Amino acid sequence: MLEKYLHSLEVSGKSDRTIATRKGQLNSFLSWLLQATNSNDPLEITSIDAAKYRKHLQARGLEPNTVNTALSSIYAICSWMVKEGYLSYNP
């Protein structure tokens, strides 16, 4: 799923830097999700997962802009999954 999303960014003309940033942030989130829930399937992301991930990032002492960028990447892939019909709503 992640590779399809990243390909869609490339096709839509996003910069290599944007794609690399999103890829890194989403890989980090999915790794955390696997540890937290035993699943790293993007189709199983919930709003609770996003809230817990925010707290996790804040507990690590990351700057607010870094936290917001990470959450923006999660929002963006979820929006894409809704648009593509994989999800019925954006968690």
Side-chain angles (χ1 to χ4, degrees), residues 28-42:
S28 293
F29 171 67
L30 293 174
S31 292
W32 172 87
L33 189 65
L34 180 61
Q35 291 178 346
T37 68
N38 290 327
S39 173
N40 66 349
D41 185 351

Side-chain angles (χ1 to χ4, degrees), residues 2 6 17-31 53 70 73:
L2 180 59
L6 295 172
R17 182 176 179 198
T18 296
I19 294 168
T21 299
R22 292 269 169 94
K23 182 178 182 178
Q25 290 170 334
L26 291 169
N27 279 327
S28 293
F29 171 67
L30 293 174
S31 292
Y53 189 60
S73 292

